[in-house]
mmCIF file with all atom_site columns, all heavy atoms in Angstrom:
data_model
loop_
_atom_site.group_PDB
_atom_site.id
_atom_site.type_symbol
_atom_site.label_atom_id
_atom_site.label_alt_id
_atom_site.label_comp_id
_atom_site.label_asym_id
_atom_site.label_entity_id
_atom_site.label_seq_id
_atom_site.pdbx_PDB_ins_code
_atom_site.Cartn_x
_atom_site.Cartn_y
_atom_site.Cartn_z
_atom_site.occupancy
_atom_site.B_iso_or_equiv
_atom_site.pdbx_formal_charge
_atom_site.auth_seq_id
_atom_site.auth_comp_id
_atom_site.auth_asym_id
_atom_site.auth_atom_id
_atom_site.pdbx_PDB_model_num
ATOM 1   N N   . TYR B 1 83 ? -3.884 28.816 -17.291 1.00 97.00 ? 83 TYR B N   1
ATOM 2   C CA  . TYR B 1 83 ? -4.287 28.656 -15.891 1.00 97.00 ? 83 TYR B CA  1
ATOM 3   C C   . TYR B 1 83 ? -4.844 27.257 -15.630 1.00 97.00 ? 83 TYR B C   1
ATOM 4   O O   . TYR B 1 83 ? -4.630 26.690 -14.551 1.00 97.00 ? 83 TYR B O   1
ATOM 5   C CB  . TYR B 1 83 ? -5.318 29.722 -15.510 1.00 97.00 ? 83 TYR B CB  1
ATOM 6   C CG  . TYR B 1 83 ? -4.709 31.085 -15.219 1.00 97.00 ? 83 TYR B CG  1
ATOM 7   C CD1 . TYR B 1 83 ? -5.432 32.247 -15.471 1.00 97.00 ? 83 TYR B CD1 1
ATOM 8   C CD2 . TYR B 1 83 ? -3.429 31.200 -14.683 1.00 97.00 ? 83 TYR B CD2 1
ATOM 9   C CE1 . TYR B 1 83 ? -4.897 33.504 -15.189 1.00 97.00 ? 83 TYR B CE1 1
ATOM 10  C CE2 . TYR B 1 83 ? -2.887 32.436 -14.412 1.00 97.00 ? 83 TYR B CE2 1
ATOM 11  C CZ  . TYR B 1 83 ? -3.610 33.591 -14.667 1.00 97.00 ? 83 TYR B CZ  1
ATOM 12  O OH  . TYR B 1 83 ? -3.073 34.823 -14.400 1.00 97.00 ? 83 TYR B OH  1
ATOM 13  N N   . MET B 1 84 ? -5.552 26.679 -16.622 1.00 98.00 ? 84 MET B N   1
ATOM 14  C CA  . MET B 1 84 ? -6.057 25.302 -16.458 1.00 98.00 ? 84 MET B CA  1
ATOM 15  C C   . MET B 1 84 ? -4.889 24.336 -16.365 1.00 98.00 ? 84 MET B C   1
ATOM 16  O O   . MET B 1 84 ? -4.910 23.390 -15.569 1.00 98.00 ? 84 MET B O   1
ATOM 17  C CB  . MET B 1 84 ? -6.961 24.900 -17.623 1.00 98.00 ? 84 MET B CB  1
ATOM 18  C CG  . MET B 1 84 ? -8.372 25.428 -17.501 1.00 98.00 ? 84 MET B CG  1
ATOM 19  S SD  . MET B 1 84 ? -9.435 24.864 -18.818 1.00 98.00 ? 84 MET B SD  1
ATOM 20  C CE  . MET B 1 84 ? -9.673 23.156 -18.402 1.00 98.00 ? 84 MET B CE  1
ATOM 21  N N   . HIS B 1 85 ? -3.850 24.558 -17.171 1.00 97.00 ? 85 HIS B N   1
ATOM 22  C CA  . HIS B 1 85 ? -2.713 23.633 -17.170 1.00 97.00 ? 85 HIS B CA  1
ATOM 23  C C   . HIS B 1 85 ? -1.913 23.748 -15.874 1.00 97.00 ? 85 HIS B C   1
ATOM 24  O O   . HIS B 1 85 ? -1.551 22.740 -15.256 1.00 97.00 ? 85 HIS B O   1
ATOM 25  C CB  . HIS B 1 85 ? -1.816 23.920 -18.370 1.00 97.00 ? 85 HIS B CB  1
ATOM 26  C CG  . HIS B 1 85 ? -0.887 22.800 -18.714 1.00 97.00 ? 85 HIS B CG  1
ATOM 27  N ND1 . HIS B 1 85 ? -1.306 21.625 -19.291 1.00 97.00 ? 85 HIS B ND1 1
ATOM 28  C CD2 . HIS B 1 85 ? 0.457  22.678 -18.548 1.00 97.00 ? 85 HIS B CD2 1
ATOM 29  C CE1 . HIS B 1 85 ? -0.270 20.822 -19.483 1.00 97.00 ? 85 HIS B CE1 1
ATOM 30  N NE2 . HIS B 1 85 ? 0.811  21.427 -19.038 1.00 97.00 ? 85 HIS B NE2 1
ATOM 31  N N   . ALA B 1 86 ? -1.670 24.992 -15.437 1.00 96.00 ? 86 ALA B N   1
ATOM 32  C CA  . ALA B 1 86 ? -0.874 25.199 -14.220 1.00 96.00 ? 86 ALA B CA  1
ATOM 33  C C   . ALA B 1 86 ? -1.629 24.697 -12.981 1.00 96.00 ? 86 ALA B C   1
ATOM 34  O O   . ALA B 1 86 ? -1.066 23.980 -12.151 1.00 96.00 ? 86 ALA B O   1
ATOM 35  C CB  . ALA B 1 86 ? -0.526 26.684 -14.067 1.00 96.00 ? 86 ALA B CB  1
ATOM 36  N N   . ASN B 1 87 ? -2.891 25.093 -12.875 1.00 97.00 ? 87 ASN B N   1
ATOM 37  C CA  . ASN B 1 87 ? -3.672 24.644 -11.721 1.00 97.00 ? 87 ASN B CA  1
ATOM 38  C C   . ASN B 1 87 ? -4.090 23.194 -11.855 1.00 97.00 ? 87 ASN B C   1
ATOM 39  O O   . ASN B 1 87 ? -4.292 22.503 -10.854 1.00 97.00 ? 87 ASN B O   1
ATOM 40  C CB  . ASN B 1 87 ? -4.902 25.539 -11.526 1.00 97.00 ? 87 ASN B CB  1
ATOM 41  C CG  . ASN B 1 87 ? -4.519 26.916 -11.010 1.00 97.00 ? 87 ASN B CG  1
ATOM 42  O OD1 . ASN B 1 87 ? -4.140 27.079 -9.865  1.00 97.00 ? 87 ASN B OD1 1
ATOM 43  N ND2 . ASN B 1 87 ? -4.579 27.910 -11.884 1.00 97.00 ? 87 ASN B ND2 1
ATOM 44  N N   . GLY B 1 88 ? -4.195 22.735 -13.086 1.00 97.00 ? 88 GLY B N   1
ATOM 45  C CA  . GLY B 1 88 ? -4.518 21.319 -13.320 1.00 97.00 ? 88 GLY B CA  1
ATOM 46  C C   . GLY B 1 88 ? -3.447 20.397 -12.765 1.00 97.00 ? 88 GLY B C   1
ATOM 47  O O   . GLY B 1 88 ? -3.736 19.311 -12.278 1.00 97.00 ? 88 GLY B O   1
ATOM 48  N N   . ALA B 1 89 ? -2.194 20.842 -12.845 1.00 97.00 ? 89 ALA B N   1
ATOM 49  C CA  . ALA B 1 89 ? -1.103 20.040 -12.274 1.00 97.00 ? 89 ALA B CA  1
ATOM 50  C C   . ALA B 1 89 ? -1.284 19.925 -10.764 1.00 97.00 ? 89 ALA B C   1
ATOM 51  O O   . ALA B 1 89 ? -1.126 18.847 -10.180 1.00 97.00 ? 89 ALA B O   1
ATOM 52  C CB  . ALA B 1 89 ? 0.245  20.670 -12.597 1.00 97.00 ? 89 ALA B CB  1
ATOM 53  N N   . SER B 1 90 ? -1.625 21.058 -10.127 1.00 97.00 ? 90 SER B N   1
ATOM 54  C CA  . SER B 1 90 ? -1.872 21.020 -8.679  1.00 97.00 ? 90 SER B CA  1
ATOM 55  C C   . SER B 1 90 ? -3.046 20.114 -8.350  1.00 97.00 ? 90 SER B C   1
ATOM 56  O O   . SER B 1 90 ? -2.994 19.329 -7.399  1.00 97.00 ? 90 SER B O   1
ATOM 57  C CB  . SER B 1 90 ? -2.143 22.433 -8.149  1.00 97.00 ? 90 SER B CB  1
ATOM 58  O OG  . SER B 1 90 ? -0.978 23.225 -8.201  1.00 97.00 ? 90 SER B OG  1
ATOM 59  N N   . MET B 1 91 ? -4.103 20.220 -9.142  1.00 98.00 ? 91 MET B N   1
ATOM 60  C CA  . MET B 1 91 ? -5.285 19.377 -8.907  1.00 98.00 ? 91 MET B CA  1
ATOM 61  C C   . MET B 1 91 ? -4.928 17.899 -9.065  1.00 98.00 ? 91 MET B C   1
ATOM 62  O O   . MET B 1 91 ? -5.379 17.048 -8.290  1.00 98.00 ? 91 MET B O   1
ATOM 63  C CB  . MET B 1 91 ? -6.406 19.710 -9.901  1.00 98.00 ? 91 MET B CB  1
ATOM 64  C CG  . MET B 1 91 ? -6.982 21.100 -9.736  1.00 98.00 ? 91 MET B CG  1
ATOM 65  S SD  . MET B 1 91 ? -7.705 21.370 -8.115  1.00 98.00 ? 91 MET B SD  1
ATOM 66  C CE  . MET B 1 91 ? -6.754 22.752 -7.586  1.00 98.00 ? 91 MET B CE  1
ATOM 67  N N   . PHE B 1 92 ? -4.120 17.609 -10.085 1.00 98.00 ? 92 PHE B N   1
ATOM 68  C CA  . PHE B 1 92 ? -3.702 16.228 -10.334 1.00 98.00 ? 92 PHE B CA  1
ATOM 69  C C   . PHE B 1 92 ? -3.008 15.664 -9.100  1.00 98.00 ? 92 PHE B C   1
ATOM 70  O O   . PHE B 1 92 ? -3.306 14.547 -8.641  1.00 98.00 ? 92 PHE B O   1
ATOM 71  C CB  . PHE B 1 92 ? -2.757 16.223 -11.548 1.00 98.00 ? 92 PHE B CB  1
ATOM 72  C CG  . PHE B 1 92 ? -2.613 14.908 -12.253 1.00 98.00 ? 92 PHE B CG  1
ATOM 73  C CD1 . PHE B 1 92 ? -1.916 14.827 -13.447 1.00 98.00 ? 92 PHE B CD1 1
ATOM 74  C CD2 . PHE B 1 92 ? -3.159 13.742 -11.767 1.00 98.00 ? 92 PHE B CD2 1
ATOM 75  C CE1 . PHE B 1 92 ? -1.777 13.626 -14.131 1.00 98.00 ? 92 PHE B CE1 1
ATOM 76  C CE2 . PHE B 1 92 ? -3.021 12.523 -12.429 1.00 98.00 ? 92 PHE B CE2 1
ATOM 77  C CZ  . PHE B 1 92 ? -2.324 12.473 -13.610 1.00 98.00 ? 92 PHE B CZ  1
ATOM 78  N N   . PHE B 1 93 ? -2.109 16.465 -8.506  1.00 98.00 ? 93 PHE B N   1
ATOM 79  C CA  . PHE B 1 93 ? -1.392 15.981 -7.327  1.00 98.00 ? 93 PHE B CA  1
ATOM 80  C C   . PHE B 1 93 ? -2.303 15.892 -6.105  1.00 98.00 ? 93 PHE B C   1
ATOM 81  O O   . PHE B 1 93 ? -2.172 14.959 -5.306  1.00 98.00 ? 93 PHE B O   1
ATOM 82  C CB  . PHE B 1 93 ? -0.172 16.868 -7.042  1.00 98.00 ? 93 PHE B CB  1
ATOM 83  C CG  . PHE B 1 93 ? 1.044  16.481 -7.832  1.00 98.00 ? 93 PHE B CG  1
ATOM 84  C CD1 . PHE B 1 93 ? 1.345  17.113 -9.026  1.00 98.00 ? 93 PHE B CD1 1
ATOM 85  C CD2 . PHE B 1 93 ? 1.867  15.457 -7.401  1.00 98.00 ? 93 PHE B CD2 1
ATOM 86  C CE1 . PHE B 1 93 ? 2.454  16.750 -9.773  1.00 98.00 ? 93 PHE B CE1 1
ATOM 87  C CE2 . PHE B 1 93 ? 2.984  15.077 -8.136  1.00 98.00 ? 93 PHE B CE2 1
ATOM 88  C CZ  . PHE B 1 93 ? 3.275  15.720 -9.338  1.00 98.00 ? 93 PHE B CZ  1
ATOM 89  N N   . ILE B 1 94 ? -3.231 16.825 -5.937  1.00 98.00 ? 94 ILE B N   1
ATOM 90  C CA  . ILE B 1 94 ? -4.182 16.732 -4.818  1.00 98.00 ? 94 ILE B CA  1
ATOM 91  C C   . ILE B 1 94 ? -4.952 15.424 -4.925  1.00 98.00 ? 94 ILE B C   1
ATOM 92  O O   . ILE B 1 94 ? -5.065 14.659 -3.954  1.00 98.00 ? 94 ILE B O   1
ATOM 93  C CB  . ILE B 1 94 ? -5.171 17.919 -4.807  1.00 98.00 ? 94 ILE B CB  1
ATOM 94  C CG1 . ILE B 1 94 ? -4.453 19.220 -4.441  1.00 98.00 ? 94 ILE B CG1 1
ATOM 95  C CG2 . ILE B 1 94 ? -6.315 17.674 -3.831  1.00 98.00 ? 94 ILE B CG2 1
ATOM 96  C CD1 . ILE B 1 94 ? -5.347 20.451 -4.557  1.00 98.00 ? 94 ILE B CD1 1
ATOM 97  N N   . VAL B 1 95 ? -5.482 15.158 -6.126  1.00 98.00 ? 95 VAL B N   1
ATOM 98  C CA  . VAL B 1 95 ? -6.300 13.960 -6.341  1.00 98.00 ? 95 VAL B CA  1
ATOM 99  C C   . VAL B 1 95 ? -5.477 12.695 -6.102  1.00 98.00 ? 95 VAL B C   1
ATOM 100 O O   . VAL B 1 95 ? -5.920 11.754 -5.425  1.00 98.00 ? 95 VAL B O   1
ATOM 101 C CB  . VAL B 1 95 ? -6.895 13.984 -7.775  1.00 98.00 ? 95 VAL B CB  1
ATOM 102 C CG1 . VAL B 1 95 ? -7.400 12.624 -8.192  1.00 98.00 ? 95 VAL B CG1 1
ATOM 103 C CG2 . VAL B 1 95 ? -8.008 15.009 -7.867  1.00 98.00 ? 95 VAL B CG2 1
ATOM 104 N N   . VAL B 1 96 ? -4.246 12.690 -6.624  1.00 98.00 ? 96 VAL B N   1
ATOM 105 C CA  . VAL B 1 96 ? -3.405 11.488 -6.486  1.00 98.00 ? 96 VAL B CA  1
ATOM 106 C C   . VAL B 1 96 ? -2.988 11.280 -5.036  1.00 98.00 ? 96 VAL B C   1
ATOM 107 O O   . VAL B 1 96 ? -2.968 10.145 -4.547  1.00 98.00 ? 96 VAL B O   1
ATOM 108 C CB  . VAL B 1 96 ? -2.186 11.577 -7.431  1.00 98.00 ? 96 VAL B CB  1
ATOM 109 C CG1 . VAL B 1 96 ? -1.126 10.562 -7.083  1.00 98.00 ? 96 VAL B CG1 1
ATOM 110 C CG2 . VAL B 1 96 ? -2.631 11.385 -8.872  1.00 98.00 ? 96 VAL B CG2 1
ATOM 111 N N   . TYR B 1 97 ? -2.667 12.350 -4.319  1.00 98.00 ? 97 TYR B N   1
ATOM 112 C CA  . TYR B 1 97 ? -2.303 12.185 -2.903  1.00 98.00 ? 97 TYR B CA  1
ATOM 113 C C   . TYR B 1 97 ? -3.490 11.657 -2.102  1.00 98.00 ? 97 TYR B C   1
ATOM 114 O O   . TYR B 1 97 ? -3.330 10.780 -1.242  1.00 98.00 ? 97 TYR B O   1
ATOM 115 C CB  . TYR B 1 97 ? -1.821 13.510 -2.313  1.00 98.00 ? 97 TYR B CB  1
ATOM 116 C CG  . TYR B 1 97 ? -0.420 13.902 -2.731  1.00 98.00 ? 97 TYR B CG  1
ATOM 117 C CD1 . TYR B 1 97 ? -0.040 15.245 -2.784  1.00 98.00 ? 97 TYR B CD1 1
ATOM 118 C CD2 . TYR B 1 97 ? 0.536  12.954 -3.067  1.00 98.00 ? 97 TYR B CD2 1
ATOM 119 C CE1 . TYR B 1 97 ? 1.247  15.617 -3.167  1.00 98.00 ? 97 TYR B CE1 1
ATOM 120 C CE2 . TYR B 1 97 ? 1.813  13.317 -3.463  1.00 98.00 ? 97 TYR B CE2 1
ATOM 121 C CZ  . TYR B 1 97 ? 2.159  14.641 -3.511  1.00 98.00 ? 97 TYR B CZ  1
ATOM 122 O OH  . TYR B 1 97 ? 3.426  15.006 -3.898  1.00 98.00 ? 97 TYR B OH  1
ATOM 123 N N   . LEU B 1 98 ? -4.699 12.164 -2.375  1.00 98.00 ? 98 LEU B N   1
ATOM 124 C CA  . LEU B 1 98 ? -5.881 11.650 -1.670  1.00 98.00 ? 98 LEU B CA  1
ATOM 125 C C   . LEU B 1 98 ? -6.114 10.181 -2.034  1.00 98.00 ? 98 LEU B C   1
ATOM 126 O O   . LEU B 1 98 ? -6.491 9.364  -1.177  1.00 98.00 ? 98 LEU B O   1
ATOM 127 C CB  . LEU B 1 98 ? -7.112 12.491 -2.024  1.00 98.00 ? 98 LEU B CB  1
ATOM 128 C CG  . LEU B 1 98 ? -7.127 13.891 -1.414  1.00 98.00 ? 98 LEU B CG  1
ATOM 129 C CD1 . LEU B 1 98 ? -8.241 14.734 -2.006  1.00 98.00 ? 98 LEU B CD1 1
ATOM 130 C CD2 . LEU B 1 98 ? -7.300 13.813 0.103   1.00 98.00 ? 98 LEU B CD2 1
#
Side-chain angles (χ1 to χ4, degrees):
Chain B
Y83 281 150
M84 279 184 73
H85 198 72
N87 288 288
S90 291
M91 294 300 122
F92 201 172
F93 276 95
I94 290 174
V95 164
V96 165
Y97 284 153
L98 288 170

